[in-house]
Amino acid sequence: MAKTVLIVDDNEHLREILASILRYSGYAIVEAGTGGDAIRKAFDAQPQLILLDLDLPDIKGIDVARKIKSTAGVSHIPIVACSASSGWEWRDEALRAGMAEYLQKPIQFTVMKQIIDKFI
């Protein structure tokens, strides 16, 4: 059975591109465009990994990560921050929120694949 990755990004075009690439690599994909949807889908789909944009329209990605990491049943899921924001402060805040890694957009697929393989 394919391992599932939850892609959370409000940019539908980017989600579709990532989903297509990851499906081609053998992963099952679940998509979410908002933080609230991401939290619900984390429970429902029980993915092996979450790729989480930090700038979402309803809930900041940092808060989504904190919610997931503090909730039984989903707290074990590794979360990788994917953000266009640069600077160590963004990375440090993401890691303090419980995220396993921080990737800055644009992300090279080979780097993303290495990170995904590292956690699942």
Side-chain angles (χ1 to χ4, degrees):
M1 185 169 172
K3 300 199 180 205
T4 302
V5 176
L6 171 56
I7 300 171
V8 184
D9 200 301
D10 60 327
N11 182 322
E12 185 177 352
H13 182 67
L14 179 58
R15 271 197 335 265
E16 289 174 3
I17 291 170
L18 288 174
S20 178
I21 292 169
L22 293 176
R23 278 189 191 102
Y24 182 78
S25 296
Y27 297 101
I29 300 300
V30 177
E31 297 178 44
T34 66
D37 198 24
I39 293 166
R40 284 187 296 280
K41 289 186 177 184
F43 278 100
D44 294 344
Q46 290 291 308
Q48 281 72 45
L49 180 79
I50 300 171
L51 297 175
L52 178 61
D53 184 21
L54 297 184
D55 190 20
L56 298 170
D58 60 338
I59 306 169
K60 294 294 180 191
I62 294 291
D63 295 325
V64 171
R66 287 183 180 123
K67 175 69 175 168
I68 290 171
K69 286 303 187 180
S70 67
T71 305
V74 291
S75 62
H76 66 283
I77 301 170
I79 302 171
V80 175
C82 299
S83 178
S85 300
S86 63
W88 287 106
E89 64 277 358
W90 289 98
R91 182 181 187 282
D92 289 346
E93 186 175 7
L95 296 177
R96 280 194 308 273
M99 295 189 215
E101 188 62 73
Y102 183 91
L103 297 174
Q104 186 176 342
K105 295 176 184 176
I107 304 164
Q108 292 182 357
F109 176 70
T110 54
V111 172
M112 180 179 290
K113 179 82 169 85
Q114 288 173 344
I115 295 297
I116 292 170
D117 289 345
K118 175 180 173 181
F119 292 108
I120 60 174

